[in-house]
């Protein structure tokens, strides 16, 4: 006879087979149990179901071609903090700064002095949560539809609030830097806000740890020549280094 846990797991598998994914809160309501019970059930069957970004998915759905911010937050943390300390020194008093999504960006914000007055623009929830801790910062969040995988908002209509601003500085994140394909990321829904920042900002800074060198992902952000500076933690491979030097992109290593 199946245990109650096994019955709950089978019910979740059926729901996810039909819908693709299921939010944790909805799963708890569906099963008539607490969210903690659902979490315990999932911990007993990681080969079947996973909880990522607040959603339950089939373990077979998880591939290296998809991005979950909850996955990335614990990777390369030391490198990210080193780069972030350097990036924070670029922010001056009363600047208007665009902060991209990603898991390095909150470390940049944490490294900025609480007393420094500046205006921050973002379309990212985790970035916004970090910014709200900065008491001297004026925060502008571009809203719309929320995407839990990468924790960003995209405009519900055709207009983005980010179009109204010309930042003096933009910190942009990416998942890959390749000598042929340029700068790429996982998700197409990030491209619009990144392109706004590249079009409007006076200084465009790519923030990326060295684990991303030589990698290519589905969404192409731009060629490396679209940026003014690259902040990273290790020297670039020779060909990439030469390309950036030829393009006049300053490379700063933390």
């Amino acid at each position: 006879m199946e245990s109650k846990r096994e019955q709950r797991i089978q019910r979740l598998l059926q729901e996810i087979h039909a819908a693709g994914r299921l939010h944790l809160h909805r799963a708890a309501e569906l099963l008539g149990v607490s969210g903690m019970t659902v979490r315990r059930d999932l911990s007993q069957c990681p080969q079947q179901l996973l909880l990522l970004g607040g959603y339950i998915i089939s373990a077979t759905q998880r591939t290296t071609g998809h991005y979950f911010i909850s996955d990335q937050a614990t990777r390369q943390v030391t490198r990210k903090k080193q780069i972030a300390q350097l990036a924070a020194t670029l922010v001056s008093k009363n600047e208007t700064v665009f902060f991209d999504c990603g898991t390095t960006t909150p470390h940049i914000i944490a490294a900025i002095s609480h007393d420094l007055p500046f205006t921050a623009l973002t379309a990212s929830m985790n970035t916004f949560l970090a910014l709200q801790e900065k008491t001297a910062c004026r925060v502008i969040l571009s809203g719309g539809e929320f995407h839990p995988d990468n924790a960003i908002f995209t405009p519900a209509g055709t207009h983005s609030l980010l179009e109204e601003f010309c930042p003096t500085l933009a910190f942009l994140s990416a998942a890959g830097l390749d000598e042929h394909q340029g700068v790429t990321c996982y998700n197409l829904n990030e491209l619009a806000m990144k392109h706004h920042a590249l079009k409007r900002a006076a200084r465009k800074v790519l923030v990326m740890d060295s684990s991303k060198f030589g990698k290519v992902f589905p969404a192409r952000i731009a060629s490396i020549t679209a940026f003014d500076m690259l902040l990273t933690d290790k020297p670039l491979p020779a060909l990439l280094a030469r390309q950036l030097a030829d393009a006049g992109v300053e490379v700063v290593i933390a």
Side-chain angles (χ1 to χ4, degrees), residues 112-124:
I112 298 172
S113 170
H114 283 277
D115 299 327
L116 185 71
F118 66 100
T119 297
L121 311 171
T122 190
S124 163

Side-chain angles (χ1 to χ4, degrees), residues 82-233:
Q82 289 173 343
I83 298 166
Q85 289 287 338
L86 181 59
T89 66
L90 300 178
V91 182
S92 301
K93 182 178 179 180
N94 296 327
E95 282 208 272
T96 299
V97 186
F98 170 81
F99 292 91
D100 204 354
C101 59
T103 53
T104 302
T105 310
H107 294 300
I108 299 174
I109 297 161
I112 298 172
S113 170
H114 283 277
D115 299 327
L116 185 71
F118 66 100
T119 297
L121 311 171
T122 190
S124 163
M125 176 59 78
N126 69 316
T127 301
F128 168 76
L129 293 174
L131 285 165
Q132 69 171 350
E133 300 295 325
K134 299 296 173 179
T135 54
C137 177
R138 177 190 179 208
V139 186
I140 299 170
L141 175 65
S142 180
E145 181 183 358
F146 182 65
H147 302 269
D149 294 354
N150 51 355
I152 69 165
F153 293 92
T154 56
T158 58
H159 183 78
S160 170
L161 182 63
L162 298 177
E163 294 178 20
E164 307 298 331
F165 292 90
C166 295
T168 53
L169 173 64
F171 292 114
L172 293 114
S173 61
L177 175 60
D178 177 74
E179 61 196 53
H180 302 295
Q181 300 293 356
V183 185
T184 57
C185 63
Y186 288 86
N187 295 312
L188 291 169
N189 62 12
E190 296 178 19
L191 292 182
M193 67 177 180
K194 293 177 191 291
H195 289 166
H196 282 312
L198 286 171
K199 181 180 179 180
R200 303 287 190 190
R203 289 185 295 161
K204 283 88 67 176
V205 180
L206 178 61
V207 181
M208 171 185 289
D209 69 74
S210 56
S211 69
K212 297 166 183 175
F213 296 164
K215 294 184 178 179
V216 178
F217 292 90
R220 187 175 188 271
I221 300 167
S223 69
I224 191 60
T225 58
F227 299 86
D228 301 303
M229 180 182 292
L230 168 65
L231 300 184
T232 189
D233 62 300

Side-chain angles (χ1 to χ4, degrees), residues 42 46 48 56 63 66 84 109 123 136 166 171 201 219 226:
L42 297 177
Q48 292 178 287
I56 303 168
T63 70
H66 198 81
I109 297 161
C166 295
F171 292 114

